Amino acid sequence: MALGSLHRARMGAHGLPHTEQTSTSGRVRSSITPIGSGIGATATSRMPDCLGSTVDGRWSRRNASRRHVILSAAATDTPKRRGRPRKSDQEQTEEPVEAVPSHMVFPTPGEFQQTLFRSLTLVGLGLHTGEPVTVRVRPALLGEGRYFVRVPFGSLSLELSPRLLDEATESAKLELFQAFMQAVEIGGFKGNFARFVDGLDPETPGREGVLAALMEEIARSQWVGEDPEPPLPRSPKETALPAAIEAVPASDAPSDRGGVAAAASRGLLWPFQQALGAPGDALSVYGAQGLLSALEACGVDNARIEVDGGPELPLLDGSAYSWAAEIQDAGLTYAFRGDGEDEPERRLVLRPPGPIIVREGDAWISVVPADDIQVTVGLDHTAESEIIGKQWFSWSLFQGEHYRGAIADAREYCADPLALEAAREAGGLRGAAEASMIIANKDRWLDGVLLRHLKDEPVRHALCDLIGDLALNAMPGTGGLPVGHVVAYKPTHALAAKFVRALRLSASEADWVPVVDVLNEESAALLPDEEDEGGEGEEEEGAEEEEEDAGR
């Protein structure tokens, strides 16, 4: 599908367009729009709970039989109790208290393995092929990890096909969406389209009809209920592609960062993309780094990722923001095996036995032992782009600003517009829209309005991609980011794959340890879990409570 062609805006969950919008001149004005961007300050009580409410401003768990629901996550100053849930705790039911907007709290990796509370779905175009693709991320069983499956062509798209609206409502919907985009780009609105429409003056022309259509679509497309959506067990006849380093093919294809070199595999250009699966294999998936980055940073350890359409995952707006927002909106829950055992299991992470470094020219990635999970990335585009120059950025998984605001919203970038022209001439970038990439031209940006981080958006995006690459270090149900300080200079997907392989070779089974056992006290206190292994006094107290219950 050629750049600049006019599409009809397909509305998916939450009623947001998944394709490009154009002006009357035919130029693309905005890329595929993020879905489920949280809840804005204008949200009212009319919106359904499935759009993301939370309890007590912290992670909350409501227990009743097989229900262990984590509605949302946030770092809190309240010390977290750690350990396997006590039997007496599991039999209690936590009553919800005053709800707060979900944009105030964010999903985070926890002490126990987690999965989604309900499915999420996004639709868009592949970066290089321009082919439409629908991706549904579903809850998965404990220990299944993150994996991709191909579903029959058109099956997800047919499920999500919107109801046709009358001409007046369709026209009002497009007008309101344009106002929504202005509110997001200029006014900093943080909610999704449904929240925006709901917050408008009731007298706004077309508001009631559009809102009714959005609510109907939400009811059809989302799992609604107090219990988590049941995971779909993997069929023995089903071929799955694990989101793991074992699925990354060995390749000598160029992997330069910011400049585009045309290297083909199945007609795809490799720069900007992570590749999973053997070239030419029907299961192959390209461009998964944004999704995997969000799943890793937001604590989704087990996920079934269904792909319907082209070989590339959707580009969206060039960032991982849509994925992070949808994960927050979907919510998290403990993962279970589905065999009647109602016990969560500890989330393991890799603690490297010593320092590791891999190099490729002047680029390198290293990790040094530490009692935290931290990633630092550096770039140097001084030769190609003065406006980018040298940049460094550091981010911690459990401390400081959350992934969604610090990392996820940073768009893909290019340091040289001439390289983009070369890529187009080679047949790539067919799905790229103007708003899906920030492009540098020597000492200025071609469209500075797109910048979300004025001084360092390129290096933040490079860090986002690196998290997606390091997510491939995960074993089924474990975390991918290693415990320690990862420092990378000019990282690429190929170099990151080399680094993850080195990590695996250096580690033994004993180096996979519960995350709470290796974090410093400050980070461990921020783990979004209310359980406690406690001191001896607390354990004895719990035992006494159980004995008393048994006596009664």
Side-chain angles (χ1 to χ4, degrees), residues 284-303:
S284 297
V285 173
Y286 298 84
Q289 65 272 8
L291 169 58
L292 295 182
S293 177
L295 293 175
E296 175 70 22
C298 293
V300 184
D301 308 308
N302 301 278

Side-chain angles (χ1 to χ4, degrees), residues 222-524:
Q222 294 186 0
W223 175 265
V224 179
E226 292 186 351
D227 292 305
E229 178 182 342
L232 179 65
R234 193 187 308 181
S235 168
K237 299 180 180 180
E238 189 174 61
T239 304
L241 180 70
I245 189 62
E246 291 81 4
V248 177
S251 173
D252 297 324
S255 56
D256 53 322
R257 159 65 59 187
V260 180
S265 173
R266 284 186 63 208
L268 299 176
L269 298 174
W270 285 64
F272 302 119
Q273 287 196 323
Q274 178 189 82
L276 299 175
D281 193 316
L283 278 176
S284 297
V285 173
Y286 298 84
Q289 65 272 8
L291 169 58
L292 295 182
S293 177
L295 293 175
E296 175 70 22
C298 293
V300 184
D301 308 308
N302 301 278
R304 173 187 172 90
I305 307 167
E306 297 177 342
V307 182
D308 172 7
E312 299 173 281
L313 266 60
L315 173 64
L316 305 174
D317 70 343
S319 77
Y321 183 85
S322 298
W323 297 116
E326 280 292 289
I327 291 169
Q328 179 185 349
D329 205 37
L332 301 179
T333 180
Y334 291 133
F336 295 98
R337 293 197 182 279
D339 57 2
E341 293 294 328
D342 197 23
E343 288 286 330
E345 288 190 8
R346 292 282 182 85
R347 179 179 187 266
L348 303 183
V349 290
L350 176 60
R351 178 176 55 188
I356 299 171
I357 185 169
V358 297
R359 301 178 182 273
E360 189 177 278
D362 64 343
W364 48 268
I365 303 178
S366 68
V367 63
V368 293
D371 54 358
D372 195 7
I373 297 178
Q374 185 176 358
V375 184
T376 298
V377 171
L379 299 176
D380 185 0
H381 289 295
T382 306
E384 316 103 282
S385 171
E386 184 180 331
I387 191 68
I388 298 178
K390 296 181 179 180
Q391 297 183 1
W392 285 90
F393 191 79
S394 188
W395 173 80
S396 174
L397 181 60
F398 294 110
Q399 301 184 52
E401 189 176 3
H402 186 269
Y403 168 86
R404 173 171 162 172
I407 305 297
D409 62 346
R411 285 186 172 99
E412 182 61 87
Y413 74 95
C414 180
D416 183 2
L418 294 180
L420 291 181
E421 292 302 320
R424 285 197 179 97
E425 290 176 3
L429 299 179
R430 298 175 184 175
E434 289 180 359
S436 63
M437 184 180 294
I438 53 175
I439 304 170
N441 186 17
K442 302 299 182 181
D443 61 349
R444 64 185 181 87
W445 294 102
L446 290 183
D447 194 348
V449 176
L450 297 177
L451 289 175
R452 291 164 171 164
H453 303 277
L454 295 179
K455 296 181 179 179
D456 54 10
E457 185 155 350
V459 72
R460 289 178 189 245
H461 182 82
L463 199 154
C464 180
D465 276 3
L466 182 59
I467 294 172
D469 289 328
L470 295 178
L472 299 176
N473 179 52
M475 304 287 278
T478 73
L481 289 173
V483 177
H485 189 180
V486 175
V487 183
Y489 180 64
K490 297 184 179 180
T492 64
H493 295 304
L495 182 60
K498 183 178 178 181
F499 174 74
V500 171
R501 290 189 177 101
L503 267 180
R504 288 285 192 87
L505 287 174
S506 71
S508 66
E509 185 177 348
D511 294 316
W512 290 91
V513 295
V515 62
V516 293
D517 292 351
V518 290
L519 294 183
N520 60 46
E521 195 170 313
E522 184 178 2
S523 294

Side-chain angles (χ1 to χ4, degrees), residues 41-66:
T42 57
T44 73
S45 59
R46 291 190 54 185
M47 303 302 288
D49 291 339
C50 62
L51 286 185
S53 63
T54 184
V55 176
D56 195 35
R58 303 179 297 144
W59 281 68
S60 295
R61 181 170 62 86
R62 294 179 296 170
N63 298 322
S65 181
R66 294 184 49 76

Side-chain angles (χ1 to χ4, degrees), residues 192-234:
N192 56 35
F193 183 43
R195 291 290 185 188
F196 176 79
V197 174
D198 185 60
L200 294 175
D201 188 314
E203 301 302 320
T204 302
R207 173 185 176 276
E208 292 303 317
V210 171
L211 188 60
L214 293 179
M215 293 304 96
E216 179 185 331
E217 189 169 344
I218 288 171
R220 288 192 299 109
S221 64
Q222 294 186 0
W223 175 265
V224 179
E226 292 186 351
D227 292 305
E229 178 182 342
L232 179 65
R234 193 187 308 181

